Amino acid sequence: MGQTVFAGKKIVIGVCGSIAAFKVAGWVSELAKEEAMVSVVMTASATEFVTPLTFAALSGNNVHTGMFGTGKEDVMTHISIGRDADVILIAPATANVIARLANGMADDLLTTTILATRAQVLVCPAMNSRMYAHPATRRNLQTLKDLGYGIIDPESGMMACKEEGDGRLAEWDTVKEHLAKSITPQALQGHKVLVTAGPTREPLDPARFLSNRSSGKMGYALARSAFRRGAEVILVSGPTALPCPPGVTRVNVQTAEEMYEAVLTHAGACSVIVKAAAVADYRPEELHEHKVKKENIDVNLLLAKNPDILLELGKRKKTGQLLIGFAAESRNLAEEGLKKLRKKNLDLIAVNDIGGDNTGFEGESNQVLLVSSSGTEILPHTSKLHTADLLWERITSLLMQSPQKA
Ligand code: CTP
């Protein structure tokens, strides 16, 4: 459901001779599923690990392996492949190919294509940790960075050679986000944004807490989408099962009071704050150090009010800073949204209809009503990531109208 950023994008993948080449076959398959137009260029040694047929079948396109074809249509392959590309990804990038690129060499189809392209080139190194740590490789990677190549750092872990350390090919989720970023207009470049997500947990004792049904998916999608748009993203998150989106700095909190502290610590430096978290409005008045036995639990639980973080942010809002809220409502959506917009001094509020099918809590999709001082807009029922994309588009327009950067 929803749009994918990769649909119709021309992505060239350069595969080099490393055992990690088999992982990249899976990536090609993922990109083809998301309707990208994937062309694969393989170095001679890459074909020793995975056959060109595998990449041809997964991409649905011919795979390029050599400089010299048989017919005249192949003569300019090294120019034509890179000419139309939206982005070129080299994965796995071996120490050898990195060294050749750092020296501007063009001695096979892949290196020649890279030298001839104007597209953004992303490099995913993968090699033994000692090769990766070697000063020559470090220098070559630095040279590539200086030349404007994007380097997607390898991860640490057990490698095919049974050694542990840095050098394992980056995970697909990370690579996918960098690819998405490379083809997304960088409308939030230079902006620091703060997103809150998930529920808060208000403990009663070490075993029990009060909480709500928030999964964090909407807030995490907002953080992911902001990274793709070039923002520096801080995600203050209540407890969720979700992994931290790549490129995002996550601050984990449990309670509303912890979220209040974390948000106020970072808010001053941010030009946009989006409060997607479902903050518990109340906490048990008393926090028991030890588990309360059932015979001793008072059936009338006394509650204390939590701070309203968004209300406080509204009071402290700086000139040019944008404050975006969420509201969970089951009726009178526009009216309730407008009330909260005014009360909390917001620029925009996204109202979730929690009474709807597949909207709001837990699901993969959402439909929100946007309320601002200039009116309302109902967004389509779509994936949470697409909802996040649409929301950032609206926020970006507001940023362009705002008096000055916070
Ligand atoms: N919010 C907050 N701190 C709270 C409660 C809510 O920052 N203690 C924020 C939420 O992150 C959300 C917005 O306020 O962006 C609206 O939350 P919601 O619970 O819908 O509204 P309330 O103001 O708590 O009102 P009510 O529950 O009565 O509808």
Side-chain angles (χ1 to χ4, degrees):
M1 172 177 266
Q3 308 274 313
T4 142
V5 276
F6 296 112
K9 294 292 177 192
K10 296 191 177 99
I11 301 176
V12 174
I13 302 198
V15 184
C16 311
S18 151
I19 186 66
F22 80 92
K23 293 184 181 171
V24 179
W27 301 2
V28 170
S29 168
E30 293 289 334
L31 286 168
K33 268 187 231 154
E34 299 211 22
E35 298 167 42
M37 294 157 76
V38 185
S39 305
V40 176
V41 178
M42 298 179 79
T43 64
S45 52
T47 64
E48 301 286 334
F49 290 91
V50 181
T51 70
L53 186 63
T54 304
F55 284 106
L58 293 171
S59 67
N61 289 315
N62 286 334
V63 169
H64 308 279
T65 53
M67 282 288 283
F68 309 106
T70 46
K72 74 175 185 322
E73 75 278 7
D74 294 317
V75 174
M76 290 298 163
T77 313
H78 63 291
I79 307 292
S80 57
I81 299 174
R83 186 165 45 205
D84 299 334
D86 289 301
V87 56
I88 300 185
L89 177 76
I90 309 178
T94 55
N96 179 38
V97 163
I98 289 167
R100 279 153 60 215
L101 288 175
N103 287 287
M105 287 174 69
D107 55 355
D108 67 0
L109 182 60
L110 179 61
T111 49
T112 314
T113 299
I114 302 296
L115 222 54
T117 192
R118 293 249 191 288
Q120 156 97 75
V121 181
L122 300 178
V123 178
C124 298
M127 64 198 76
N128 166 276
S129 54
R130 272 170 284 122
M131 292 172 78
Y132 181 63
H134 195 285
T137 307
R138 312 305 308 163
R139 180 200 60 206
N140 292 334
L141 281 168
Q142 189 54 49
T143 302
L144 290 186
K145 270 187 203 163
D146 296 342
L147 291 172
Y149 291 66
I151 309 297
I152 304 176
D153 292 334
E155 303 195 348
S156 193
M158 180 68 80
M159 284 171 287
C161 54
K162 304 280 182 279
E163 287 182 19
E164 255 193 272
D166 289 343
R168 212 168 68 164
L169 186 67
E171 290 294 331
W172 171 233
D173 193 35
T174 304
V175 178
K176 183 179 175 181
E177 289 312 307
H178 283 275
L179 268 179
K181 182 176 177 183
S182 74
I183 55 176
T184 303
Q186 299 294 282
L188 294 176
Q189 178 103 54
H191 287 279
K192 195 167 178 177
V193 307
L194 175 70
V195 178
T196 69
T200 62
R201 270 184 195 172
E202 310 300 328
L204 171 67
D205 68 17
R208 306 180 181 93
F209 54 80
L210 297 179
S211 192
N212 58 60
R213 287 177 57 201
S214 170
S215 63
K217 286 177 187 165
M218 191 61 237
Y220 276 60
L222 281 158
R224 200 173 272 267
S225 177
F227 170 74
R228 290 181 177 187
R229 281 150 211 278
E232 184 186 338
V233 189
I234 300 171
L235 174 64
V236 175
S237 175
T240 77
L242 303 171
C244 182
V248 167
T249 304
R250 180 165 67 175
V251 180
N252 290 319
V253 297
Q254 293 281 326
T255 64
E257 286 176 311
E258 284 172 19
M259 185 171 278
Y260 180 86
E261 291 301 324
V263 166
L264 290 192
T265 301
H266 294 285
C270 295
S271 45
V272 185
I273 303 169
V274 187
K275 281 225 77 250
V279 185
D281 290 313
Y282 291 90
R283 61 179 184 280
E285 193 179 58
E286 195 180 351
L287 170 59
H288 298 270
E289 193 187 345
H290 298 289
K291 191 179 166 195
V292 186
K293 292 291 160 193
K294 55 181 168 288
E295 304 79 47
N296 302 334
I297 289 189
D298 188 344
V299 287
N300 298 309
L301 188 61
L302 283 176
L303 299 175
K305 200 160 181 15
N306 274 330
D308 189 322
I309 307 165
L310 197 50
L311 188 73
E312 189 56 39
L313 290 172
K315 287 183 195 156
R316 300 178 182 209
K317 191 160 77 170
K318 300 202 298 192
T319 314
Q321 189 176 49
L322 294 182
L323 203 51
I324 323 297
F326 269 74
E329 304 293 345
S330 55
R331 58 183 174 164
N332 304 334
L333 269 58
E335 210 176 291
E336 293 299 326
L338 195 58
K339 251 193 247 169
K340 283 176 190 173
L341 182 91
R342 287 186 179 141
K343 182 177 164 205
K344 301 192 185 190
N345 191 20
L346 310 179
D347 298 278
L348 189 68
I349 187 159
V351 188
N352 270 312
D353 180 359
I354 54 168
D357 289 337
N358 278 324
T359 60
F361 293 129
E362 291 164 353
E364 294 304 326
S365 64
N366 206 0
Q367 179 162 32
V368 298
L369 176 75
L370 298 184
V371 181
S372 69
S373 56
S374 51
T376 60
E377 180 193 9
I378 180 90
L379 294 186
H381 183 211
T382 185
S383 68
K384 286 188 172 169
L385 188 55
H386 189 212
T387 301
D389 286 338
L390 295 172
L391 207 51
W392 281 117
E393 278 173 23
R394 305 304 181 270
I395 296 169
T396 305
S397 324
L398 290 177
L399 267 178
M400 289 193 296
Q401 295 159 23
S402 74
Q404 62 180 66
K405 252 174 80 173

